[in-house]
Amino acid sequence: MTTSAVPPTTPPAPGAPSTASPGAPEVRRGRARIGFGLLGPRRDRHALSVEQLEALALPVGDDGMVIGVDASGRPSVLGINRPTAYDVTLIGGLWTAQVLALRAAATGARVTVETGRAPAWTALAQAAGGGQQCIALHDVGRVPPQGASAGSPVVVVRDCGMRPPRGRVVSAPWQSVLTLLPYLSPVAPRLLEKSDLVGVQRVSPDEAAQIGRIMHLPQVETEALSTLADGVTLWCGPRDRQFVMTQATDAETGLLGSARRMD
């Protein structure tokens, strides 16, 4: 039995044509390359230990609109668009109510303002939305049904003076109502008791004492209400309270001016 010897493979001389069969992959450094692209850069894989993963954590807060910062400088967020009825009463200035209206519109809500002083809101309504009518003005008692839904939430701002009448449009799922009172009035106790959230800005010492009794505030917080700076609000919810400083953006300052309690 005889076998034929297979001659050893010798590399072609420089400049000689390749003897590889057509379609065969090019072999370089012991591995096959398919195609004609250049080799890309090679980097070591990025690997982290379990302990190092904590460094990649991102701070995620509550959902809603930012209404200011707390005493530690952290953002304070109000979830204004809710699947349940939500009533807010603000004893404070027009400036803060207008900032809240702008920010509610920025969350995608349609803002309806029921007001007896439409000229004070006209510039805001025209400037908001970049040409889209997202803030609508109505006379007191003439707010039509809004048709709020999850895809089109509504925030109704009631700027109706010291004695706002009972509104035709009330809070409902995806329709929150914010009532602005410039001062403590005879109707305030009723509004404060029925509200899910109450905001109080600077008031007189007598008003602060009344609000403290209605809201069951500690003595320190009650006394602080008569000394609050412009733009500072004490927000009171069912379970907690927080002082918040509302800081306007450059665009808000250009439209509304600086923070102020009186108008």
Side-chain angles (χ1 to χ4, degrees):
M1 182 175 178
T2 60
T3 59
S4 58
V6 179
T9 302
T10 58
S18 173
T19 58
S21 59
E26 181 184 354
V27 178
R28 287 185 180 177
R29 299 182 183 178
R31 60 180 178 177
R33 282 193 62 213
I34 300 176
F36 302 94
L38 298 175
L39 284 174
R42 295 296 182 263
R43 298 288 185 269
D44 294 335
R45 292 187 176 184
H46 297 286
L48 295 176
S49 65
V50 175
E51 293 75 15
Q52 291 174 315
L53 286 176
E54 296 182 359
L56 299 180
L58 296 177
V60 178
D62 297 329
D63 184 22
M65 65 178 186
V66 177
I67 59 175
V69 294
D70 62 15
S72 301
R74 294 186 298 264
S76 296
V77 179
L78 171 61
I80 196 70
N81 302 322
R82 297 170 178 256
T84 56
Y86 196 63
D87 284 286
V88 180
T89 297
L90 172 63
I91 301 176
L94 177 65
W95 184 89
T96 300
Q98 291 186 329
V99 170
L100 296 180
L102 275 176
R103 296 183 181 184
T107 68
R110 290 182 288 123
V111 178
T112 293
V113 180
E114 180 183 6
T115 181
R117 46 178 174 175
W121 287 87
T122 301
L124 174 68
Q126 293 174 346
Q132 302 289 332
Q133 187 178 10
C134 58
I135 297 182
L137 307 183
H138 299 277
D139 292 332
V140 177
R142 296 186 176 275
V143 179
Q146 297 298 297
S149 65
S152 182
V154 175
V155 175
V156 179
V157 179
R158 305 198 69 215
D159 175 27
C160 305
M162 295 286 290
R163 297 173 179 266
R166 293 186 181 275
R168 294 176 55 189
V169 176
V170 298
S171 60
W174 302 111
Q175 180 168 288
S176 301
V177 175
L178 186 154
T179 301
L180 173 65
L181 296 177
Y183 300 102
L184 194 67
S185 69
V187 302
R190 173 179 59 83
L191 290 174
L192 299 184
E193 291 171 358
K194 70 182 285 288
S195 294
D196 301 289
L197 182 68
V198 173
V200 184
Q201 296 191 295
R202 187 174 63 248
V203 292
S204 69
D206 289 342
E207 290 174 312
Q210 295 181 55
I211 293 171
R213 287 193 296 269
I214 297 171
M215 303 299 299
H216 307 290
L217 299 179
Q219 185 65 26
V220 174
E221 294 180 354
T222 299
E223 294 175 353
L225 292 179
S226 60
T227 63
L228 297 180
D230 291 344
V232 176
T233 307
L234 173 62
W235 291 101
C236 307
R239 292 177 297 274
D240 56 5
R241 297 176 300 276
Q242 188 176 87
F243 286 98
V244 175
M245 165 68 81
T246 301
Q247 298 173 322
T249 64
D250 291 342
E252 291 168 346
T253 300
L255 181 61
L256 304 174
S258 57
R260 58 192 179 277
R261 171 65 175 91
M262 303 294 294
D263 295 289

